[in-house]
Amino acid sequence: MAKIERAQKLFLKALKEKFAGDVSDVKTEFYNFNDLQQSPRKKEFIEASKKVEKDRGMSMYDPYRCHLGGLPMGQRQLMTYEVSTTGTFVEGDDLHFVNNPAMQQFWDDIRRTIIVSMDLAHNTLQKRLGKEITPETINEYLHILNHAMPGAAVVQEHMVETHPSVVDDCYVKVFTGDSDLADQLEKQFVIDVNKLFPAKQAAELNAAVGKSLWQAIHIPTIVSRTCDGGTTSRWSAMQIGMSFITAYRMCAGEAAVADLSFAAKHAGVIQMASHLPARRARGPNEPGGIQFGHFADMIQTDRTHPNDPAKASLEVVGAGTMLFDQIWLGSYMSGGVGFTQYATAAYTDNILDEYTYYGMDYIKDKYGVDWQNPSPKDKVKPTQEVVNDIAGEVTLNAMEQYEQFPTLMEDHFGGSQRAGVIAAASGLSTAIATGNSNAGLNGWYLSMLMHKEGWSRLGFFGYDLQDQCGSTNSLSVRPDEGCIGEFRGPNYPNYAMNVGHQGEYAAIVGSAHYSRGDGCSLSPLIKITFADPALPFDFSEPRREFAKGATRQFVAKGERTLLMPAK
Amino acid sequence: MAYTPQYGPGSSVVAENRRKQMNPSISLQKMRDVTDEDIVLILGHRAPGQAYPTAHPPLAEQGEPDCPIRKIVTPTPGAAAGDRVRYIQFADSMFNAPCQPYQRTYTEAYRFRGIDPGTLSGRQIVECRERDLEKYSQELINTNLFDPALTGIRGATVHGHSLRLAEDGMMFDMLQRCKLEGGVVNYVKNQIGEPLDKKVNVGKPQDAAWLKANTTMFHSLVGTSYRSDEEYVEYIKRIHSLRTKYGFMPVE
């Protein structure tokens, strides 16, 4: 283990933008920033609150009275943040999911998605009822389904229906590994694997899917927001059943319909997330049930940037910390509003990016890993010594960067922020070098122990509990204790507690596969479904999308203003 | 064979300082003389001279059950008197403050009885019976565990441990509970931020050389590089490797 030279400091531009003076200085000025008035966003909040108070006749946002008995924030500089690699500087408030419609849409697009096999239904129609299935009948069925799925009637008289303009994000496409079949289906309904994926990934995915035909279904955003993730399979199954009845002229009450319903609701359904134990009180398609391998497949950067597994992984970190920290642990489980501050550290100011690319330089320099040409061939055997070497060096380098640039430490002012970022870079570097997700997770835990001993601190009261005992479970893969990283998720016993871990774990899992150039991390079906360019949220560039949301340039779906009186 | 604690690995001055602070057979260095009354003011739990509020009657009066553990463990004075459990909480600057969060917890666990420490990145709290707390606080404030500029006594709003220092060398404190005045640091608010009727002088900040020589945190810019203590780094890797292998296949 020896430090290597790296000229780039990807975070420097952001630090210079954020902080006046020399970013290497140890000293600065405080208490003279005119408190909240230094922040345009906070000033906007104050003005907005005045209007709200006037309208409703009740007090609201009042930091000059309510914060610390009259002492408002802003005794130090209230920093802006660059959403990493976007060049877009935003205020921290703009990255709270309540203030960011792109973040909401990201989660909406996952929760409202369901993947349903067509093969089981086709078997029922052909073998049980003697119906003929042809590309033409499939096309007709898809026309009907795209009429019905948003909430329109197909069989009965005198039915209520939904307004197309408030459910315009609802649709169904199909995909298959059978290129001949795909060619015979209408282009508007097909997710074209060969066109969307690099050739090697497409070949792997096509082989994995084979001749099966799958429906990628996105129910209306407004439905899943009003109900929950458990609604998605139910809503889709009802419309699928009615569409089959119409397309194949079935009797609405015949017994074979039950087979179609069972296939659409259970047997042929791929949920984006499994339902959670009763104590978590969440159904399927809620964040806590997303396996890390599946989440790594939802993010598409390895498809659009196949030669940069580091970037692909960093996009997973950004998306994952937003979903798992800000929305899942922050709001679903905790109810707090402060989780944003932890999560954003991992996807702002190019800090994690710098530490990770240091790791890339290191594994190339020391182990000859050509990480920009992903392949299983040059991966390093994941021995304990290799894990310790890579994770140890990346950790030491990251700690030294924080020390050498005091403004960098000030940027990540909380220990949990630093811990998550340092360990993520260590885990990603290890996983990319070895192509092994559990080796990456093990690197994470070495990083945590080294960090804690070096600075005699780590995260907050409960944050680092899992990190101090994590070495032991990272390679425990007995069925009654755990499993490999791809199948772990936010509700894995040792991971279910604290902010600043789950998004990074998902990225470590994904990075192992991105570095090998694999077609997917766990599910070819999910990988293909989220490649669809028609989705409102672009899953290949989550951080860019979040930046658009922060600067109020993102147009979300599921809006209902059409139905309300104009103000 | 009796167990002899080693108090941690490492060949650097940081490692040695950690061992010295933890080892109860080594006396902490007396650095200042903040009075009992002034410590009560900073803590803010009771007024100086006020009787200790109690959570239960003195143990001698309430009739203890016949319990073998209670026969082994002698109550601390605060527990015997039935005092409330109260706290002191510190924020330690990462720029060479003499004590640091986990180091505090380990040190307190070796040196004090009847305590409940909690360790975070930006603060460390220790809770115990009130009169015990005041006694322990004397050691925590008047010795080489404390620096007036870089160690903050903060019950809430602790933000500052990782920030750059102010031009006068003080660690940032949003509430400015203490100020550098005429070369000495005066507390003008108690640890929870309530104004004090009189200032509490906690003395002169240590100079950079003393801080570098006495800190218990590695820092490659202002102190001792972690990387340079190879023994320490190798020790962590060994612990991690052993834990990993035992988790994979739990055999000796």
Side-chain angles (χ1 to χ4, degrees):
Chain A
M1 187 176 72
K3 190 171 179 61
I4 59 168
E5 290 306 316
R6 177 176 157 80
Q8 304 102 309
K9 301 288 181 194
L10 298 175
F11 48 72
L12 271 183
K13 182 167 169 282
L15 292 184
K16 288 174 180 171
E17 175 76 21
K18 289 157 68 94
F19 298 102
D22 187 341
V23 296
S24 303
D25 278 352
V26 172
K27 292 186 176 176
T28 187
E29 292 186 344
F30 296 119
Y31 317 114
N32 60 355
F33 290 96
N34 201 18
D35 54 64
L36 291 181
Q37 300 304 316
Q38 64 178 293
S39 160
R41 190 66 70 236
K42 304 289 189 194
K43 286 200 295 186
E44 181 186 339
F45 289 174
I46 290 170
E47 290 306 310
S49 184
K50 285 178 185 169
K51 184 175 181 310
V52 173
E53 289 172 3
K54 189 177 174 187
D55 289 345
R56 72 182 196 181
M58 279 179 67
S59 69
M60 200 182 178
Y61 184 67
D62 191 2
Y64 284 98
R65 173 174 176 173
C66 301
H67 190 269
L68 276 173
L71 184 62
M73 284 185 277
Q75 303 308 308
R76 58 168 284 194
Q77 185 180 344
L78 296 173
M79 299 178 289
T80 56
Y81 295 90
E82 181 193 350
V83 181
S84 293
T85 71
T86 68
T88 303
F89 283 83
V90 303
E91 295 211 35
D93 303 310
D94 301 324
L95 296 174
H96 193 291
F97 74 85
V98 167
N99 299 334
N100 191 311
M103 292 176 169
Q104 296 163 23
Q105 190 66 55
F106 172 78
W107 169 226
D108 289 338
D109 279 352
I110 296 172
R111 186 183 56 224
R112 69 194 187 91
T113 295
I114 197 86
I115 303 171
V116 180
S117 166
M118 295 197 74
D119 301 343
L120 296 170
H122 287 167
N123 278 336
T124 297
L125 292 167
Q126 286 178 305
K127 294 178 180 173
R128 183 164 174 177
L129 302 181
K131 302 276 188 184
E132 186 181 17
I133 309 291
T134 67
E136 290 73 26
T137 66
I138 295 172
N139 282 330
E140 181 60 17
Y141 162 81
L142 290 170
H143 269 281
I144 295 167
L145 188 59
N146 274 289
H147 162 85
M149 191 59 72
V154 290
V155 176
Q156 292 149 303
E157 170 63 286
H158 206 284
M159 289 292 291
V160 294
E161 299 179 312
T162 57
H163 193 305
S165 293
V166 295
V167 292
D168 63 341
D169 56 335
C170 172
Y171 63 89
V172 182
K173 290 188 180 182
V174 293
F175 58 87
T176 176
D178 182 344
S179 297
D180 291 338
L181 173 59
D183 287 344
Q184 296 180 70
L185 300 177
E186 288 187 32
K187 298 290 179 224
Q188 64 169 325
F189 297 132
V190 176
I191 299 174
D192 189 337
V193 175
N194 294 320
K195 188 175 174 185
L196 290 167
F197 286 87
K200 180 173 174 291
Q201 290 181 32
E204 277 189 32
L205 293 168
N206 282 330
V209 176
K211 292 189 175 301
S212 298
L213 184 61
W214 293 87
Q215 302 165 97
I217 299 163
H218 310 287
I219 73 166
T221 295
I222 200 166
V223 173
S224 69
R225 292 190 133 211
T226 308
C227 304
D228 67 358
T231 298
T232 307
S233 64
R234 296 172 172 91
W235 179 283
S236 87
M238 288 300 289
Q239 321 324 322
I240 286 172
M242 300 308 285
S243 297
F244 272 125
I245 288 169
T246 304
Y248 291 95
R249 296 291 186 267
M250 296 172 66
C251 169
E254 65 176 309
V257 172
D259 279 12
L260 300 181
S261 295
F262 185 72
K265 284 194 173 178
H266 304 288
V269 172
I270 307 297
Q271 303 273 5
M272 298 305 98
S274 52
H275 93 250
L276 295 174
R279 64 184 181 279
R280 296 285 187 189
R282 307 291 172 191
N285 266 26
E286 294 292 349
I290 302 176
Q291 290 164 326
F292 292 143
H294 284 167
F295 191 79
D297 284 330
M298 291 170 191
I299 307 307
Q300 298 284 318
T301 319
D302 62 317
R303 173 175 61 84
T304 55
H305 295 76
N307 293 318
D308 193 346
K311 174 178 169 55
S313 308
L314 293 164
E315 295 291 345
V316 179
V317 172
T321 53
M322 196 292 292
L323 178 60
F324 296 129
D325 294 340
Q326 296 178 220
I327 294 180
W328 171 241
L329 290 172
S331 267
Y332 272 86
M333 301 310 292
S334 160
V337 295
F339 285 60
T340 306
Q341 196 73 62
Y342 296 106
T344 54
Y347 61 88
T348 53
D349 296 338
N350 302 305
I351 296 169
L352 175 56
D353 298 56
E354 166 62 27
Y355 298 167
T356 303
Y357 283 106
Y358 177 86
M360 296 304 97
D361 288 352
Y362 184 74
I363 63 175
K364 185 170 189 175
D365 185 67
K366 177 152 186 183
Y367 295 100
V369 175
D370 185 6
W371 58 274
Q372 289 171 299
N373 287 296
S375 163
K377 292 178 183 170
D378 65 350
K379 295 290 146 308
V380 187
K381 184 179 179 183
T383 63
Q384 187 69 63
E385 289 66 33
V386 165
V387 171
N388 289 358
D389 178 65
I390 297 171
E393 175 53 38
V394 174
T395 297
L396 286 175
N397 173 68
M399 292 175 73
E400 287 162 356
Q401 298 308 305
Y402 280 124
E403 293 163 351
Q404 295 294 317
F405 295 92
T407 46
L408 190 60
M409 186 78 85
E410 189 165 316
D411 191 331
H412 285 182
F413 56 79
S416 309
Q417 297 173 313
R418 299 186 293 267
V421 166
I422 295 173
S426 304
L428 291 174
S429 301
T430 307
I432 290 174
T434 60
N436 184 304
S437 64
N438 277 72
L441 291 173
N442 192 253
W444 168 286
Y445 290 115
L446 172 67
S447 174
M448 286 294 185
L449 296 185
M450 287 182 63
H451 180 168
K452 179 196 164 200
E453 290 299 323
W455 286 344
S456 192
R457 51 165 57 79
L458 197 53
F460 61 82
F461 224 170
Y463 170 92
D464 49 34
L465 181 156
Q466 67 195 66
D467 298 307
Q468 296 193 50
C469 65
S471 304
T472 312
N473 65 49
S474 58
L475 268 291
S476 174
V477 292
R478 295 194 304 190
D480 60 339
E481 290 182 346
C483 43
I484 60 172
E486 285 78 348
F487 288 97
R488 299 183 185 189
N491 206 44
Y492 178 76
N494 200 47
Y495 300 170
M497 300 167 284
N498 284 303
V499 67
H501 297 85
Q502 298 170 350
E504 292 89 335
Y505 292 161
I508 289 169
V509 164
S511 68
H513 297 277
Y514 307 155
S515 74
R516 298 163 52 90
D518 290 346
C520 66
S521 297
L522 182 58
S523 168
L525 309 180
I526 290 176
K527 190 86 231 175
I528 294 168
T529 294
F530 285 88
D532 182 0
L535 281 166
F537 188 92
D538 182 352
F539 280 77
S540 69
E541 295 282 354
R543 295 186 293 186
R544 187 188 68 195
E545 296 285 82
F546 295 162
K548 283 166 66 179
T551 52
R552 304 180 186 179
Q553 296 176 303
F554 185 88
V555 180
K557 297 294 183 179
E559 298 307 306
R560 54 191 176 175
T561 49
L562 172 78
L563 309 175
M564 294 187 287
K567 289 185 179 177
Chain B
M1 185 176 71
Y3 169 68
T4 305
Q6 297 177 53
Y7 305 109
S11 55
S12 59
V13 65
V14 170
E16 185 59 26
N17 290 340
R18 289 179 177 184
R19 289 190 286 266
K20 283 180 183 172
Q21 287 188 3
M22 281 189 270
N23 188 344
S25 65
I26 298 176
S27 296
L28 296 170
Q29 193 180 345
K30 183 82 179 291
M31 304 290 289
R32 59 195 66 80
D33 195 11
V34 181
T35 65
D36 293 352
E37 178 182 326
D38 283 351
I39 284 178
V40 168
L41 286 172
I42 292 174
L43 292 175
H45 299 311
R46 67 182 181 106
Q50 179 192 346
Y52 289 103
T54 56
H56 58 76
L59 295 181
E61 296 175 15
Q62 68 174 17
E64 289 280 271
D66 185 20
C67 166
I69 301 301
R70 289 173 200 236
K71 289 173 183 164
I72 297 171
V73 179
T74 305
T76 65
D83 291 356
R84 300 176 301 176
V85 171
R86 304 309 292 145
Y87 64 87
I88 187 168
Q89 181 166 271
F90 292 94
D92 298 295
S93 170
M94 294 179 80
F95 290 108
N96 281 347
C99 204
Q100 300 288 337
Y102 274 111
Q103 176 68 16
R104 277 190 183 285
T105 292
Y106 302 154
T107 298
E108 289 163 358
Y110 278 116
R111 290 179 179 271
F112 303 150
R113 294 182 62 232
I115 58 164
D116 177 13
T119 320
L120 298 85
S121 62
R123 57 193 166 113
Q124 190 269 4
I125 185 172
V126 59
E127 298 184 68
C128 58
R129 304 287 187 152
E130 193 162 355
R131 75 189 66 200
D132 304 333
L133 173 72
E134 291 172 6
K135 177 170 171 284
Y136 299 155
S137 296
Q138 283 277 1
E139 288 200 57
L140 295 169
I141 295 172
N142 280 332
T143 66
N144 56 327
L145 299 177
F146 186 89
D147 175 68
L150 302 184
T151 311
I153 308 169
R154 305 177 181 184
T157 318
V158 301
H159 193 98
H161 78 278
S162 56
L163 271 54
R164 291 167 291 174
L165 302 177
E167 293 292 356
D168 61 5
M170 296 288 287
M171 177 170 56
F172 173 79
D173 177 9
M174 182 179 182
L175 291 172
Q176 296 188 78
R177 276 161 276 226
C178 57
K179 294 180 177 175
L180 183 65
E181 298 171 323
V184 299
V185 174
N186 290 317
Y187 269 77
V188 295
K189 296 176 182 175
N190 66 18
Q191 65 172 339
I192 206 69
E194 296 165 330
L196 295 172
D197 292 337
K198 67 163 210 174
K199 294 178 180 176
V200 173
N201 179 348
V202 294
K204 183 181 169 188
Q206 301 297 330
D207 62 29
W210 185 93
L211 291 165
K212 183 175 178 181
N214 286 273
T215 188
T216 49
M217 191 191 121
F218 292 101
H219 197 297
S220 63
L221 183 65
V222 296
T224 303
S225 161
Y226 189 20
R227 187 188 291 270
S228 67
D229 193 337
E230 294 181 10
E231 178 189 317
Y232 215 124
V233 172
E234 282 310 305
Y235 165 82
I236 306 299
K237 290 182 175 179
R238 171 175 155 75
I239 293 292
H240 172 71
S241 301
L242 291 173
R243 291 180 182 179
T244 300
K245 289 169 183 170
Y246 197 84
F248 174 69
M249 185 62 70
V251 294
E252 295 295 335

